[in-house]
């Protein structure tokens, strides 16, 4: 997964060596939809990080089944800040920025309806004593031939 050296004001990590983009989606995608939720890697009841899943849809709104494809993904996560004047939650400072590649290979029988990546909480630069535990995010998915697609994550658990 992408990594970031935790700091109060994160700086972009060095550009990682990414796997080459491969494959073409069977249908032309019109949009990508994404979701985020906490994950746990062990029997410990505490969560270990945030998992992000994304799926492609064609112009008719039909899910595109994924087989034998590698895409590049850029992720940004921001803390949520409550504005007392407006009574609304707003996007706060950047607490995570990273890039990675995600693949669905031939070894996935029948393919997959989504692609997933995980971000460990210790890679997200938050201060639990000050910052709200949820934030907002954005992913940009880059495909080999079919362009790039972005998706907003309205709620992401940050710690």
């Amino acid at each position: 997964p992408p990594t970031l050296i935790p700091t109060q004001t994160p700086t972009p990590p060095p550009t990682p060596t990414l796997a080459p983009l491969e494959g073409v989606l069977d249908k032309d995608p019109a949009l990508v939809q994404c979701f985020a939720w906490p994950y746990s890697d062990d029997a410990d009841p505490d969560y270990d990080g945030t998992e992000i899943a994304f799926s492609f849809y064609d112009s008719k709104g039909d899910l595109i089944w994924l087989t034998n494809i590698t895409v590049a993904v850029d992720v940004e996560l921001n803390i949520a800040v409550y504005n007392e004047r407006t009574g609304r939650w707003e996007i706060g400072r950047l607490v995570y920025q990273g890039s990675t590649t995600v693949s669905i290979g031939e070894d996935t029988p029948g393919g997959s309806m989504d692609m997933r990546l995980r971000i460990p909480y210790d890679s997200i630069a938050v201060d639990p004593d000050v910052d709200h535990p949820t934030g907002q995010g954005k992913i940009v998915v880059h495909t080999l031939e079919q362009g790039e697609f972005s998706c907003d994550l309205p709620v992401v658990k940050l710690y």
Side-chain angles (χ1 to χ4, degrees):
T3 58
L4 177 72
I5 299 169
T7 60
Q8 199 58 15
T9 305
T11 55
T15 303
T17 302
L18 302 176
L21 302 185
E22 296 178 337
V24 177
L25 296 166
D26 293 340
K27 300 177 185 178
D28 281 332
L31 67 100
V32 65
Q33 187 173 26
C34 55
F35 301 95
W37 58 85
Y39 74 87
S40 179
D41 277 335
D42 49 38
D44 166 337
D46 294 332
Y47 292 116
D48 299 315
T50 293
E51 183 168 43
I52 299 172
F54 55 95
S55 301
F56 292 94
Y57 292 84
D58 66 17
S59 61
K60 295 179 184 176
D62 294 332
L63 179 67
I64 298 174
W65 205 252
L66 304 169
T67 56
N68 212 21
I69 186 166
T70 299
V71 298
V73 184
D74 301 324
V75 180
E76 289 187 358
L77 302 178
N78 297 77
I79 61 166
V81 177
Y82 186 72
N83 183 325
E84 292 184 18
R85 188 178 58 79
T86 64
R88 295 177 182 239
W89 287 95
E90 298 176 352
I91 296 174
R93 75 177 194 289
L94 182 69
V95 292
Y96 178 85
Q97 183 176 41
S99 298
T100 191
T101 51
V102 181
S103 298
I104 299 294
E106 293 176 353
D107 59 339
T108 306
S112 179
M113 62 185 222
D114 64 12
M115 302 180 97
R116 297 177 182 207
L117 60 96
R118 289 181 166 189
I119 303 169
Y121 287 149
D122 60 7
S123 295
I124 302 172
V126 293
D127 180 352
D129 294 330
V130 177
D131 298 326
H132 194 271
T134 60
Q136 299 172 337
K138 179 176 186 162
I139 67 167
V140 178
V141 180
H142 307 270
T143 64
L144 179 63
E145 293 184 10
Q146 293 159 308
E148 67 181 42
F149 302 86
S150 65
C151 181
D152 291 329
L153 294 160
V155 178
V156 178
K157 185 162 173 50
L158 300 173
Y159 63 89

